[in-house]
Amino acid sequence: MSVYKEFLLLKRDMGGVVTLFLMPLVLIIAVTLIQDQDSTYKKGNNAKIQILLVDYDKGNVSKTIFDNLKKSNVFSVVTTIDNTPITEAVAKEAVFKGKYQLAIVIPSHLSTDLQAKIDQNVQKIVSSLGFVDSLTTKSNPKLVNQKEVKLYFDPAVQLSFKSSVMNGIDKMISQIETKSIYTTFQEQLGEDDTKFEQKSFITFKEIVPKINNKDITPNSVQHNVPAWTLFAIFFIVIPLSINMVKEKTQGTFIRLRTNPVSNRIVLAGKTVMYLIICLIQFYMMVAVAIFLFPHLGLPALNIEGHIILMSVVALFSGLAAIGFGILLGTIAKTQEQSAPFGATAVLILAAIGGVWVPVFAMPKIMQIIAQSSPMNWGLEAFYDVLLRNATFWDLVPELFLLFLFFVVTTTLALLYDKKKRAV
């Protein structure tokens, strides 16, 4: 009957129930679409990031940079505005005003000065080896100043974007330097038939885990579904605490206490009802990720052999959320206290738990603090199942912490209620 009573309370607030189920679905779809790079960049030039290129060099280096950027699936190169070649001043103003995210300014004589510097260095090496006629008159080497490629970034872009762009351009110029060095050595040695191997000797290969001889390739769906499912589960803290406050302010709780029923039974009814809601939320999120995402151009969530363990994680995560909601509803005296505090607390737990920013990318002190968030325990358990092929026994530490959090928060709620009634 306690469970049925909670069902009636929720039934009377259908708008809140619909919001409880609908908003997480909208959230997970929107966030996954935004973060899925493949679906963003595969749509063609309209999805590419426009960058300004100011070429004062007009040489091999600038041509190579332009060609590589043009071949990229990420960038669209803009060299003119209103049919007028872009100058550095125009590019700087456009980027700093947020019209473009990036401008690349290639200095004049970059290609010729680079080649001159390489010629000087190669000449020194060849001369030291005795391959140059001793009677040859040594000419004074030309003083070549160091060149710099200027990058103007929109102040609003993220640091990761800046780093990736700078690394990419640095790699392109390094390849040009390497090729020029080999060519110059060949010319200095007078061996026209000599062919230097210019392919990179050291390469990189990513080794990913496999299940049934299939590679497990992480994608935005596998990260977002667990993260935002946890966020939705913990958001039941708000309606749960509000309903408990309503019962106290409307006198319903006092009427319940007049019955020969322990407070534990009342809380058990809330736990069962809201645990059902948590599991319904979880299965709805998974269903959307499996059946709807492919129609939106997103990869489908692969839960092959994982649904049971994922359900267990969702169950224990729901218990942790319910325990927190019961504690908040017991302590809060008004809805104005429970609703804002509950929403803020959930956002804080999500932020420090790794839902928004990965824990490994946080400062060291925040990585330590993240270990105290129940959302972090649930998120790591979901990742263990989906991405690390964990067994049930591998999940025991996280499940134990989630259950302990439920026991502690519920016990504190019972003790607080008992103390308040004793006073």
Side-chain angles (χ1 to χ4, degrees):
M1 292 305 296
S2 180
V3 174
Y4 181 65
K5 184 261 297 182
E6 296 298 328
F7 172 75
L8 291 178
L9 285 175
L10 291 171
K11 184 180 178 181
R12 291 170 184 171
D13 185 17
M14 290 306 298
V17 173
V18 171
T19 302
L20 199 62
F21 290 119
L22 184 60
M23 291 307 295
L25 297 180
V26 175
L27 182 65
I28 193 174
I29 293 172
V31 172
T32 308
L33 280 172
I34 293 171
Q35 293 186 355
D36 189 72
Q37 295 182 353
D38 292 336
S39 66
T40 301
Y41 294 135
K42 71 185 179 182
K43 296 177 183 177
N45 293 332
N46 291 333
K48 292 183 178 181
I49 301 174
Q50 287 190 327
I51 62 173
L52 304 178
L53 180 65
V54 182
D55 183 11
Y56 291 132
D57 177 45
K58 308 296 182 181
N60 292 330
V61 175
S62 61
K63 184 178 184 302
T64 303
I65 293 175
F66 176 81
D67 291 341
N68 287 334
L69 290 174
K70 195 173 181 180
K71 293 176 184 177
S72 171
N73 292 324
V74 180
F75 301 114
S76 174
V77 183
V78 178
T79 57
T80 61
I81 297 179
D82 297 330
N83 297 323
T84 303
I86 304 172
T87 63
E88 182 176 353
V90 172
K92 179 180 178 180
E93 182 181 5
V95 171
F96 285 174
K97 286 186 176 180
K99 297 178 180 178
Y100 296 89
Q101 280 66 53
L102 168 65
I104 303 174
V105 180
I106 303 176
S108 58
H109 308 298
L110 175 61
S111 299
T112 55
D113 286 354
L114 173 62
Q115 187 60 50
K117 190 63 178 178
I118 292 174
D119 289 341
Q120 292 176 11
N121 292 338
V122 171
Q123 181 67 34
K124 289 180 182 178
I125 297 174
V126 172
S127 299
S128 66
L129 296 176
F131 289 105
V132 178
D133 189 355
S134 60
L135 298 177
T136 303
T137 303
K138 296 183 179 179
S139 58
N140 293 326
K142 175 185 176 183
L143 181 62
V144 181
N145 295 322
Q146 189 176 22
K147 297 290 184 179
E148 61 180 12
V149 176
K150 296 181 181 179
L151 302 177
Y152 292 98
F153 288 99
D154 178 4
V157 302
Q158 295 181 346
L159 181 62
S160 58
F161 175 77
K162 294 182 180 180
S163 300
S164 62
V165 170
M166 288 188 288
N167 290 336
I169 294 177
D170 183 64
K171 182 179 179 181
M172 283 189 284
I173 294 178
S174 297
Q175 291 174 343
I176 296 170
E177 288 188 72
T178 303
K179 183 177 180 180
S180 300
I181 290 171
Y182 279 126
T183 304
T184 303
F185 263 113
Q186 183 177 337
E187 292 175 353
Q188 290 288 338
L189 295 175
E191 298 292 339
D192 295 336
D193 296 333
T194 304
K195 298 297 182 182
F196 291 98
E197 178 60 53
Q198 298 183 22
K199 184 182 294 184
S200 298
F201 178 73
I202 300 175
T203 59
F204 298 92
K205 180 181 180 181
E206 180 185 6
I207 308 299
V208 297
K210 296 184 177 181
I211 297 180
N212 299 328
N213 294 324
K214 294 181 179 180
D215 291 342
I216 304 176
T217 305
N219 53 50
S220 60
V221 172
Q222 289 171 307
H223 287 280
N224 281 313
V225 171
W228 298 108
T229 297
L230 274 172
F231 190 76
I233 287 175
F234 270 81
F235 234 78
I236 67 165
V237 167
I238 299 173
L240 173 55
S241 61
I242 288 177
N243 282 342
M244 292 186 66
V245 172
K246 281 183 179 179
E247 289 181 347
K248 290 188 293 185
T249 56
Q250 294 175 357
T252 306
F253 185 72
I254 297 177
R255 293 177 61 188
L256 288 172
R257 296 298 297 147
T258 60
N259 294 318
V261 177
S262 170
N263 193 23
R264 294 180 178 85
I265 299 299
V266 176
L267 295 184
K270 297 180 183 298
T271 301
V272 172
M273 188 67 247
Y274 281 92
L275 198 56
I276 293 173
I277 292 176
C278 289
L279 291 177
I280 293 175
Q281 285 180 319
F282 166 71
Y283 289 120
M284 286 181 63
M285 303 277 265
V286 171
V288 166
I290 294 175
F291 301 109
L292 180 61
F293 278 5
H295 298 288
L296 300 176
L298 297 169
L301 179 67
N302 182 13
I303 60 169
E304 181 180 355
H306 297 321
I307 188 62
I308 295 178
L309 286 180
M310 289 180 66
S311 300
V312 172
V313 175
L315 177 69
F316 279 81
S317 299
L319 286 173
I322 292 167
F324 183 52
I326 289 175
L327 178 61
L328 178 58
T330 303
I331 296 176
K333 297 179 180 179
T334 63
Q335 296 182 40
E336 288 74 15
Q337 291 179 357
S338 63
F341 183 84
T344 304
V346 171
L347 291 175
I348 292 174
L349 290 176
I352 67 175
V355 172
W356 296 342
V357 179
V359 174
F360 67 82
M362 297 180 183
K364 189 65 178 179
I365 184 65
M366 291 305 300
Q367 293 183 22
I368 298 174
I369 296 175
Q371 306 303 317
S372 63
S373 172
M375 281 203 193
N376 180 255
W377 308 333
L379 190 60
E380 287 300 316
F382 272 124
Y383 285 165
D384 286 342
V385 174
L386 276 177
L387 302 174
R388 302 179 183 124
N389 197 27
T391 63
F392 175 79
W393 298 110
D394 296 326
L395 303 177
V396 168
E398 288 90 354
L399 299 181
F400 173 76
L401 288 173
L402 290 168
F403 185 71
L404 181 63
F405 185 82
F406 166 72
V407 172
V408 170
T409 50
T410 306
T411 302
L412 289 175
L414 290 170
L415 293 175
Y416 180 85
D417 179 70
K418 182 178 180 181
K419 181 181 178 180
K420 187 174 63 174
R421 285 189 289 108
V423 172

